[in-house]
Structure formats: C-alpha cells, structure tokens
C-alpha cells in the first residue's frame, strides 16, 4: 500500500511504500493531497528511488528551497532528452537539473555569466545532448522571462551526460576532456586527412564516448578477443601502434592498464579511419 506522507509541491509527493519513503512525480498529484490517504497510481508518471541515503535526502531537501516550476520544467526536459538520447538517463536528472536551472536563472537575473571551457568539445562530440540543451535553454528563457547565456545549453548537456551513467558520479567534464584528448591523439597520428564528417569517424567518436565512461568508472571490457588482437597485430600494425599510444596515455593519466580487448576495438575503429583516408 502506498500512503501519502507529505505534498512536496503540486507535482511531487513524499509517500510511504511498505515502510520505505519514496518520491512520486505526476502533474497535479500534489494538489489537495492529504497525509495518511492512499494514492491512485494511475496519476503517477514517475517513481523515484527510495530515500535511503544522504544523496537522496539532499534531493528531498531541494523541494523545500526550489520553486516547483523548476521541477516541472526539468521533468519536461527529461522527457525531451529521453526521446532524443534514449531511455538510459537516470531519474536523478530531475533533481540535479532543477537545482542547476534555479541557480542559472538567479545568476542571469543578477548579471553573472560563467563560461564553460569545454563548449567546443561538447558541441562536437555530444551533438544530441547539446541539441537538447539548446531546446531546454529556449524553454527556460520563455518560462522564466530570462535570457540565459549560450553556454547554458552546454551546461545542460553536461547534466545529460552525467545522467547517462547509472552511478551519476558527476564526471562529465572529465569524460568530455578524455574523448577530446584521445581524438586529438588519433588525428595527430593519422595526419590531417581524417574525414571528421565521415560515418566511420562518427562511429569512432561514439565508441570513444563509451570508452571514456568505462575508463573513468574503472569498468574496462574483458572478453575473449585474443584471436582478433593477434590478427590485428599481423595485418594492421599501423592501427595497433596508434592504439598503443592511447594505452600509454590512459596508463599515465588515469593509472589504468588497458587489456587487449579494449585495444582490439580501438584498433578496429582506427583501421577504418585509415582506410577512409584520401
């Protein structure tokens, strides 16, 4: 049985579900809600994680300090992002984005501008997230009658990148920087003839995005690719040499040794880039 403990705002309820506190979201479900009564789950759009740790308690505290309008627009952005970037975005985004947008609007109204040093990298390597960021920035501007700086689209994109990780560990800046650095290494090693608009290059960047996520999380690929590795060693030593450069960089900067599996997949993508050179 799910019992209402408290209406947090018109769209959010704190409830008890089998002696576990949870937050429910649904447009209008908090209006007129009375503590002690049961909730019609047909009204609920989203069920959030049980409030069992300090981070969850922090999210709950945000509902006391941030106006409900920021949660509503964050929910709209989360729905939009899932339609563009997939369903893997975790629900914590609703809270982290609401908190960010609240401060962003306050900064804008006070004339404060904070530049994002990785704007170019996000636009280039995370175009879907940046595209959602642009739409979200426009929606916030309209809803709150402000003119957020252009970099806010990038800041929103960073939140989407963080929310794509199950751990939501806030390493988006590191992830973007790592993708950019490895892409720079490959372009330097292959020369200026790499077609950065090609399908193979886009696939390579997609691979790098997940690769960077694994490196930062310490969750590298371990599978049976020994035969593929040896084949690449024999037939594509040029691609493997570039992969070894990436291996050395990751070892130096992140103290992580890449196994043959990761090197194999990097080499496959690099060899495709080489084959596509003029």
């Amino acid at each position: 049985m799910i019992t209402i403990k408290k209406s947090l705002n018109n769209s959010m309820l704190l409830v008890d579900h089998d002696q576990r506190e949870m937050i429910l979201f649904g447009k209008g479900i908090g209006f007129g809600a009375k503590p002690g009564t049961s909730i019609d789950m047909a009204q609920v759009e989203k069920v959030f994680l049980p409030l069992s740790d300090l981070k969850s308690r922090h999210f709950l505290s945000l509902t006391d300090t941030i106006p409900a309008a920021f949660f509503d627009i964050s929910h709209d952005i989360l729905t939009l992002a899932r339609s563009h970037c997939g369903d893997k975005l975790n629900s914590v985004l609703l809270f982290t984005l609401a908190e960010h947008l609240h401060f962003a609007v306050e900064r804008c109204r006070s004339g404060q501008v904070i530049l994002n040093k990785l704007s170019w990298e996000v636009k280039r390597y995370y175009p879907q997230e940046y595209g959602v960021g642009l739409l979200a920035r426009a929606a916030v501007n309209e809803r709150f009658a402000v003119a957020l700086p252009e970099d806010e689209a990038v800041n929103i994109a960073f939140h989407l990148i963080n929310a794509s990780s199950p751990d939501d560990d806030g390493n988006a800046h590191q992830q973007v920087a790592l993708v950019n650095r490895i892409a720079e290494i490959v372009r330097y090693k292959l020369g200026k003839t790499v077609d950065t608009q090609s399908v193979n290059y886009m696939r390579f960047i997609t691979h790098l995005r997940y690769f960077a996520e694994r490196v930062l999380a310490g969750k590298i690929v371990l599978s049976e690719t020994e035969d593929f590795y040896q084949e690449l060693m024999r037939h594509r030593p040029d691609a493997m040499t570039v992969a070894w450069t990436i291996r050395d960089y990751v070892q130096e900067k992140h103290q992580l040794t890449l196994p043959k599996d990761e090197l194999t997949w990097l080499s496959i993508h690099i060899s495709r880039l080489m084959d596509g050179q003029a």
Side-chain angles (χ1 to χ4, degrees):
M1 180 177 178
I2 299 179
T3 306
I4 298 173
K5 295 191 71 173
K6 180 183 179 182
S7 174
L8 301 175
N9 55 50
N10 284 343
S11 301
M12 302 176 75
L13 290 174
L14 176 64
V15 302
D16 181 272
H17 179 43
D18 295 333
Q19 298 184 335
R20 299 168 70 195
E21 286 185 327
M22 305 181 76
I23 292 178
L24 305 182
F25 184 96
K27 293 293 181 67
I29 64 172
F31 183 76
K34 297 181 179 180
T37 60
S38 59
I39 178 69
D40 180 6
M41 289 303 292
Q43 296 179 276
V44 177
E45 296 180 34
K46 192 67 183 176
V47 179
F48 297 103
L49 296 176
L51 301 175
S52 57
D53 54 39
L54 290 177
K55 181 182 287 188
S56 297
R57 288 290 169 183
H58 169 67
F59 295 147
L60 176 61
S61 71
L62 295 179
T63 62
D64 293 326
T65 58
I66 296 177
F70 288 97
F71 289 100
D72 288 340
I73 197 167
S74 294
H75 177 265
D76 293 341
I77 294 170
L78 177 56
T79 302
L80 175 68
R82 282 179 169 150
S83 69
H84 285 73
C85 306
D87 292 333
K88 67 176 183 175
L89 297 173
N90 63 58
S91 299
V92 170
L93 179 64
L94 179 80
F95 297 93
T96 58
L97 191 56
E99 184 176 31
H100 172 79
L101 293 178
H102 179 235
F103 285 119
V105 168
E106 291 300 311
R107 286 196 304 267
C108 182
R109 287 172 174 166
S110 65
Q112 298 180 51
V113 177
I114 299 177
L115 299 178
N116 194 309
K117 296 181 179 180
L118 291 173
S119 292
W120 181 89
E121 290 81 357
V122 170
K123 293 174 185 178
R124 180 160 190 170
Y125 302 123
Y126 295 80
Q128 286 184 315
E129 289 82 352
Y130 178 65
V132 173
L134 288 173
L135 295 174
R137 171 178 170 265
V140 172
N141 285 344
E142 181 178 358
R143 180 79 63 91
F144 298 101
V146 293
L148 296 180
E150 292 183 5
D151 272 9
E152 274 305 324
V154 175
N155 294 333
I156 293 169
F158 270 115
H159 280 278
L160 301 182
I161 297 168
N162 276 332
S164 67
S165 170
D167 300 325
D168 187 50
D169 50 10
N171 64 9
H173 283 76
Q174 291 177 282
Q175 186 177 327
V176 173
L178 182 56
V179 168
N180 182 56
R181 182 61 185 133
I182 295 176
E184 286 180 340
I185 289 172
V186 172
R187 288 197 300 271
Y188 174 76
K189 289 291 184 180
L190 271 58
K192 297 181 180 180
T193 56
V194 177
D195 182 1
T196 58
Q197 301 302 315
S198 69
V199 172
N200 283 334
Y201 188 78
M202 292 299 103
R203 288 173 177 168
F204 172 60
I205 293 301
T206 298
H207 178 79
L208 283 189
R209 289 175 52 170
Y210 291 107
F211 171 74
E213 185 177 314
R214 291 194 298 274
V215 167
L216 294 173
K219 299 176 181 178
I220 52 180
V221 170
L222 293 172
S223 58
E224 298 297 329
T225 59
E226 177 67 28
D227 291 342
F228 290 117
Y229 181 84
Q230 295 300 330
E231 283 293 309
L232 284 165
M233 284 281 290
R234 285 193 293 271
H235 300 292
R236 297 309 302 260
D238 49 354
M240 188 59 73
T241 298
V242 179
W244 286 339
T245 303
I246 297 171
R247 175 200 62 190
D248 295 343
Y249 175 79
V250 171
Q251 173 66 48
E252 178 184 354
K253 295 296 182 181
H254 298 278
Q255 292 73 55
L256 184 68
T257 301
L258 296 183
K260 292 179 179 178
D261 311 280
E262 292 285 6
L263 295 173
T264 295
W265 289 111
L266 284 170
S267 298
I268 289 172
H269 283 284
I270 292 167
S271 65
R272 289 171 178 167
L273 294 179
M274 289 177 167
D275 292 341
Q277 287 180 299

